[in-house]
Amino acid sequence: MAVDPLIELRNVNKYYGELHVLRDIDLTVGKGEVVVVIGPSGSGKSTLCRTINRLETIESGTITLDGRPLPAEGKALARLRAEVGMVFQSFNLFAHKTVLQNVSLAQVKVRRRRQEEADRRSRELLDRVGLLNQAGKYPAQLSGGQQQRVAIARALAMEPKAMLFDEPTSALDPEMINEVLEVMRQLAREGMTMVVVTHEMGFARASANRVVFMADGRIVEDRSPDEFFTHPRSDRAKDFLSKILKH
Amino acid sequence: MNVLTDNFSDYGAGFLGTLELTVYASLLALALGFLMASFRVAPVGSLRIFGTVWVAVLRNTPLTLLFFAVLLGLPRFGLVLPFEVFAVLALGCYTSAFICEALRSGINTVPRGQGEAARSLGMTFGQTLSLVVLPQAFRSVIPPVGSTLIALAKNSAIAGAFSVTELLGTYKTLNELGYSIIWTFVWIAVGYLVITLAISAVFHALERRWGVAR
């Protein structure tokens, strides 16, 4: 499957004090692959996602991106983060900047593009997520779903090699979830490498190449969505699925 | 009543002295406070320690003691400067500790996610702080920084005890000349009010301009 690995985690361990939140994690994400991470809350799935661009540090193990190990600090780490887009549960749009400025800022300051060029590209991306007409507004004036689509455009503006989604729809009203998922489905179809932490089982079934099921800081299953949803192997996964698929 | 008109040049010199001390020390305090606040939230441990020690020492030393330390201490190490400059140094460094803490409390009001988003886009620590966090922190620190600078203006009176020309010090001359002590002090108080109310007005305007545009 993963012929050309882009993200590789080997033997990754992380602790919050006494709490062992990631236990011997091995995970490979190939180029163009969409990996959906699911699991009960507290299973470490968000932490896993955040270690990939080192928003969380790890105690042991290695993480490589496109063959290069993650730098620990400083400019090298910043350069690498620019290659990996991240979308947060709480959107995290810059509150003091307009929608257009949000998408353009890092293009100018990190990618060193000229302002007009950055703004032109920002408008293209905003058009793609259906929000060009909101370019002059501030984040607080948008709905949650709109903010999250801007956040995706902001991450895409850096032309990342991979995108990390940390529960991108968990803070949204139900009727706004689909507009965000639609953008993500489109990205998946275009061949973007994606790691998606989510509770949206529909998205996992339809768009994922692999489903990674986590519990208590371990990866319990790592299989195709069809196999996972129809024939989960572990009791832990069976129990989890029975709880979430019933309602 | 005629204490002001008779001694206008004395009052004027004192007023200008206090004004100069306030302006220069404020600029120094803002610059150093900004730097120390950056240090205190920096990812580098030694910078954080430096910032913490800076604040602990300067904030907890009585200002008069600090004046003694600067005016009598630094010349011993061969650093001889005009008393006015020493006074600006003492006042500016002292106040920078308070500015630093006001800025830091402002930084703490900015949600964590803002900095994380900036870092995840590849911004360096400096860019994250200057482009994303501080502009948002700035809005909530306008009132406390204003208060701190008003305190600085009044604290500058201590410089008078070290033969720097400033407003409060004018009372000695006028008292010796036999003017009413009450009226002497009334006009000194008015001088301070002019400066502190001007600072209030500037910060009020800043708050109107920046404080609510969320």
Side-chain angles (χ1 to χ4, degrees):
Chain A
M1 210 167 20
V3 274
D4 198 1
L6 184 63
I7 303 168
E8 276 193 289
L9 288 82
R10 287 285 160 268
N11 245 326
V12 168
N13 281 282
K14 175 172 181 69
Y15 300 82
Y16 285 129
E18 291 284 286
L19 192 66
H20 199 169
V21 280
L22 294 179
R23 297 167 189 257
D24 303 320
I25 298 289
D26 283 308
L27 179 69
T28 306
V29 181
K31 282 203 176 90
E33 231 183 349
V34 177
V35 173
V36 168
V37 184
I38 61 174
S41 62
S43 59
K45 53 193 193 304
S46 275
T47 310
L48 173 71
C49 187
R50 290 161 57 88
T51 58
I52 296 174
N53 66 358
R54 215 177 156 84
L55 283 180
E56 301 282 351
T57 55
I58 55 174
E59 265 69 45
S60 68
T62 55
I63 301 177
T64 56
L65 233 138
D66 217 2
R68 286 169 302 168
L70 280 191
E73 266 306 332
K75 292 229 158 41
L77 178 62
R79 256 198 302 281
L80 184 132
R81 280 178 176 149
E83 306 286 322
V84 182
M86 177 130 193
V87 176
F88 300 86
Q89 181 176 351
S90 48
F91 328 130
N92 295 347
L93 292 179
F94 304 137
H96 63 308
K97 300 268 182 200
T98 64
V99 165
L100 184 70
Q101 288 168 340
N102 260 279
V103 185
S104 291
L105 184 66
Q107 294 186 64
V108 174
K109 299 294 177 183
V110 178
R111 288 279 187 245
R112 304 277 167 212
R113 288 182 190 144
R114 283 183 303 118
Q115 187 71 49
E116 311 87 77
E117 192 193 336
D119 284 346
R120 190 170 44 75
R121 176 151 178 81
S122 300
R123 288 206 177 82
E124 280 169 24
L125 285 163
L126 286 173
D127 191 28
R128 200 171 135 186
V129 298
L131 289 171
L132 186 53
N133 54 347
Q134 314 284 338
K137 289 193 179 168
Y138 283 89
Q141 296 169 290
L142 304 185
S143 73
Q146 290 173 325
Q147 289 189 51
Q148 195 60 300
R149 279 143 67 201
V150 173
I152 294 174
R154 179 176 69 176
L156 288 175
M158 306 301 286
E159 287 160 356
K161 291 177 182 161
M163 290 276 286
L164 309 174
F165 292 84
D166 184 6
E167 304 205 24
T169 57
S170 299
L172 296 178
D173 289 341
E175 74 263 35
M176 290 170 187
I177 290 177
N178 205 43
E179 64 189 52
V180 172
L181 288 181
E182 186 44 46
V183 173
M184 290 167 60
R185 280 192 285 265
Q186 194 191 334
L187 267 180
R189 278 197 299 273
E190 287 165 8
M192 174 63 76
T193 308
M194 294 161 68
V195 175
V196 185
V197 175
T198 188
H199 296 291
E200 294 300 322
M201 299 303 146
F203 176 81
R205 264 180 199 272
S207 299
N209 299 104
R210 275 157 58 207
V211 170
V212 168
F213 176 73
M214 285 186 75
D216 306 319
R218 283 181 206 285
I219 292 183
V220 181
E221 301 204 26
D222 180 352
R223 305 161 66 200
S224 77
D226 260 359
E227 288 175 328
F228 177 76
F229 285 111
T230 46
H231 304 292
R233 272 191 210 127
S234 60
D235 290 341
R236 199 74 183 74
K238 280 176 197 160
D239 180 53
F240 179 74
L241 287 174
S242 75
K243 277 178 190 150
I244 56 158
L245 294 179
K246 238 171 226 164
H247 61 234
Chain B
M1 195 51 190
N2 54 2
V3 57
L4 178 69
T5 42
D6 288 356
N7 302 286
F8 201 77
S9 64
D10 275 353
Y11 266 120
F15 180 79
L16 282 180
T18 294
L19 192 64
E20 269 180 23
L21 278 176
T22 305
V23 170
Y24 291 134
S26 292
L27 292 177
L28 181 67
L30 287 171
L32 279 175
F34 177 85
L35 187 69
M36 289 306 146
S38 314
F39 280 10
R40 292 206 68 178
V41 296
V44 183
S46 52
L47 291 182
R48 281 201 301 273
I49 292 171
F50 186 87
T52 311
V53 170
W54 180 272
V55 168
V57 169
L58 289 165
R59 194 171 55 165
N60 298 321
T61 309
L63 182 56
T64 316
L65 204 62
L66 196 65
F67 265 90
F68 274 116
V70 169
L71 272 92
L72 304 178
L74 289 182
R76 292 203 165 199
F77 295 99
L79 191 64
V80 182
L81 294 167
F83 272 21
E84 285 79 7
V85 178
F86 276 138
V88 166
L89 270 181
L91 265 176
C93 290
Y94 175 77
T95 312
S96 75
F98 295 89
I99 301 272
C100 166
E101 291 302 271
L103 280 176
R104 205 165 59 92
S105 74
I107 288 170
N108 290 337
T109 65
V110 179
R112 260 184 97 79
Q114 295 283 312
E116 287 184 349
R119 283 188 287 148
S120 80
L121 288 165
M123 292 188 202
T124 59
F125 169 73
Q127 287 175 325
T128 301
L129 203 60
S130 62
L131 298 170
V132 174
V133 177
L134 283 175
Q136 295 186 61
F138 174 63
R139 297 165 176 192
S140 54
V141 303
I142 295 170
V145 168
S147 303
T148 309
L149 294 186
I150 287 173
L152 182 150
K154 296 182 293 179
N155 286 341
S156 70
I158 293 180
F162 297 89
S163 54
V164 175
T165 309
E166 55 76 53
L167 192 53
L168 182 64
T170 52
Y171 91 91
K172 284 181 223 152
T173 338
L174 301 183
N175 198 29
E176 279 162 19
L177 292 172
Y179 286 100
S180 148
I181 194 81
I182 304 232
W183 282 106
T184 307
F185 276 122
V186 164
W187 289 115
I188 286 174
V190 168
Y192 278 109
L193 268 179
V194 168
I195 293 174
T196 52
L197 289 179
I199 298 174
S200 295
V202 167
F203 277 80
H204 190 66
L206 282 176
E207 207 180 331
R208 286 252 301 263
R209 173 81 179 75
W210 297 105
V212 283
R214 223 167 243 269

